[in-house]
Amino acid sequence: MSEQQKQLQSLSDEFQSLQTELQTTVSARQKLESQQQENLGVQKEFATLSDDANVYKLVGPVLLKQDTSEARSTVDGRLEFIEKEMYVAVDPKKAERRSIRSCLAAG
Protein backbone atom coordinates (compact mmCIF):
# COMPACT_ATOMS: atom_id res chain seq x y z
CA MET A 1 0.00 0.00 0.00
CA SER A 2 1.39 3.39 -0.94
CA GLU A 3 1.99 6.16 1.58
CA GLN A 4 -0.95 8.17 0.21
CA GLN A 5 -3.29 5.21 0.60
CA LYS A 6 -2.15 4.70 4.19
CA GLN A 7 -2.70 8.36 4.94
CA LEU A 8 -6.11 8.27 3.28
CA GLN A 9 -7.06 5.17 5.26
CA SER A 10 -5.91 6.83 8.48
CA LEU A 11 -7.97 9.93 7.72
CA SER A 12 -10.97 7.78 6.82
CA ASP A 13 -10.70 5.87 10.12
CA GLU A 14 -10.41 9.11 12.08
CA PHE A 15 -13.40 10.53 10.22
CA GLN A 16 -15.51 7.48 11.05
CA SER A 17 -14.46 7.70 14.68
CA LEU A 18 -15.42 11.36 14.81
CA GLN A 19 -18.78 10.61 13.20
CA THR A 20 -19.49 8.01 15.88
CA GLU A 21 -18.54 10.45 18.63
CA LEU A 22 -20.72 13.13 17.07
CA GLN A 23 -23.69 10.77 16.90
CA THR A 24 -23.19 9.91 20.56
CA THR A 25 -23.04 13.59 21.50
CA VAL A 26 -26.14 14.42 19.46
CA SER A 27 -28.02 11.52 21.03
CA ALA A 28 -27.05 12.66 24.54
CA ARG A 29 -28.10 16.22 23.77
CA GLN A 30 -31.47 15.07 22.40
CA LYS A 31 -32.05 13.08 25.57
CA LEU A 32 -31.24 16.13 27.68
CA GLU A 33 -33.57 18.30 25.59
CA SER A 34 -36.35 15.76 26.04
CA GLN A 35 -35.82 15.75 29.81
CA GLN A 36 -35.74 19.54 29.82
CA GLN A 37 -39.07 19.76 27.99
CA GLU A 38 -40.65 17.26 30.36
CA ASN A 39 -39.45 19.19 33.41
CA LEU A 40 -40.54 22.54 31.92
CA GLY A 41 -44.02 21.04 31.50
CA VAL A 42 -44.03 19.96 35.14
CA GLN A 43 -42.82 23.43 36.16
CA LYS A 44 -45.72 25.02 34.24
CA GLU A 45 -48.16 22.68 36.00
CA PHE A 46 -46.69 23.67 39.38
CA ALA A 47 -47.23 27.34 38.50
CA THR A 48 -50.97 26.69 38.31
CA LEU A 49 -51.12 24.88 41.66
CA SER A 50 -51.88 26.52 44.96
CA ASP A 51 -49.40 26.12 47.81
CA ASP A 52 -51.71 23.74 49.67
CA ALA A 53 -52.28 21.44 46.66
CA ASN A 54 -51.54 17.75 46.99
CA VAL A 55 -48.50 16.60 45.01
CA TYR A 56 -47.55 12.95 44.67
CA LYS A 57 -44.29 11.39 43.58
CA LEU A 58 -44.15 7.99 41.89
CA VAL A 59 -41.59 5.79 43.64
CA GLY A 60 -41.64 2.36 42.06
CA PRO A 61 -45.26 1.19 42.08
CA VAL A 62 -46.27 3.56 44.92
CA LEU A 63 -47.45 7.17 44.92
CA LEU A 64 -46.02 9.09 47.88
CA LYS A 65 -47.32 12.44 49.00
CA GLN A 66 -44.69 15.16 48.64
CA ASP A 67 -44.51 18.70 49.91
CA THR A 68 -45.35 21.14 47.08
CA SER A 69 -42.40 23.42 47.75
CA GLU A 70 -40.05 20.42 47.88
CA ALA A 71 -41.39 19.14 44.56
CA ARG A 72 -40.96 22.58 42.96
CA SER A 73 -37.44 22.80 44.31
CA THR A 74 -36.61 19.35 42.93
CA VAL A 75 -37.85 20.26 39.45
CA ASP A 76 -35.99 23.59 39.52
CA GLY A 77 -32.82 21.74 40.53
CA ARG A 78 -33.26 19.23 37.72
CA LEU A 79 -33.69 22.03 35.19
CA GLU A 80 -30.51 23.74 36.40
CA PHE A 81 -28.60 20.46 36.15
CA ILE A 82 -29.93 19.75 32.65
CA GLU A 83 -29.02 23.25 31.44
CA LYS A 84 -25.47 22.82 32.75
CA GLU A 85 -25.16 19.42 31.09
CA MET A 86 -26.45 20.82 27.80
CA TYR A 87 -23.90 23.64 27.97
CA VAL A 88 -21.10 21.14 28.60
CA ALA A 89 -22.29 19.01 25.69
CA VAL A 90 -22.06 21.94 23.26
CA ASP A 91 -18.29 22.48 23.38
CA PRO A 92 -17.23 18.91 22.49
CA LYS A 93 -19.68 18.95 19.59
CA LYS A 94 -18.10 22.11 18.18
CA ALA A 95 -14.64 20.64 18.58
CA GLU A 96 -15.70 17.47 16.77
CA ARG A 97 -17.16 19.43 13.87
CA ARG A 98 -13.92 21.38 13.51
CA SER A 99 -11.94 18.16 13.53
CA ILE A 100 -14.21 16.61 10.89
CA ARG A 101 -13.83 19.69 8.69
CA SER A 102 -10.06 19.56 9.00
CA CYS A 103 -10.09 15.84 8.07
CA LEU A 104 -12.16 16.61 5.00
CA ALA A 105 -9.94 19.50 4.03
CA ALA A 106 -6.80 17.35 4.42
CA GLY A 107 -8.26 14.57 2.25
Side-chain angles (χ1 to χ4, degrees):
M1 197 182 323
S2 74
E3 187 62 34
Q4 286 180 336
Q5 287 177 325
K6 288 180 184 178
Q7 185 179 12
L8 184 58
Q9 183 62 43
S10 173
L11 288 171
S12 176
D13 292 344
E14 184 179 352
F15 179 75
Q16 287 176 342
S17 173
L18 290 170
Q19 278 185 316
T20 302
E21 288 177 35
L22 182 61
Q23 288 173 345
T24 302
T25 302
V26 168
S27 176
R29 178 151 175 102
Q30 288 174 337
K31 182 178 177 183
L32 287 169
E33 287 174 350
S34 174
Q35 291 173 348
Q36 183 184 41
Q37 289 305 311
E38 182 179 331
N39 280 281
L40 285 171
V42 172
Q43 194 177 47
K44 286 178 186 176
E45 286 292 321
F46 281 158
T48 64
L49 295 178
S50 63
D51 289 335
D52 61 343
N54 291 327
V55 175
Y56 295 89
K57 179 179 181 177
L58 184 62
V59 179
V62 179
L63 283 174
L64 298 176
K65 192 170 183 177
Q66 189 175 23
D67 182 55
T68 306
S69 62
E70 182 183 335
R72 285 181 178 149
S73 175
T74 300
V75 170
D76 291 343
R78 277 191 212 137
L79 283 168
E80 285 178 31
F81 175 78
I82 289 168
E83 287 174 19
K84 287 178 186 174
E85 288 297 307
M86 287 173 71
Y87 180 76
V88 168
V90 168
D91 289 339
K93 191 163 61 170
K94 286 182 182 177
E96 288 173 24
R97 277 196 230 134
R98 281 190 214 117
S99 188
I100 289 173
R101 283 189 200 119
S102 67
C103 279
L104 291 174

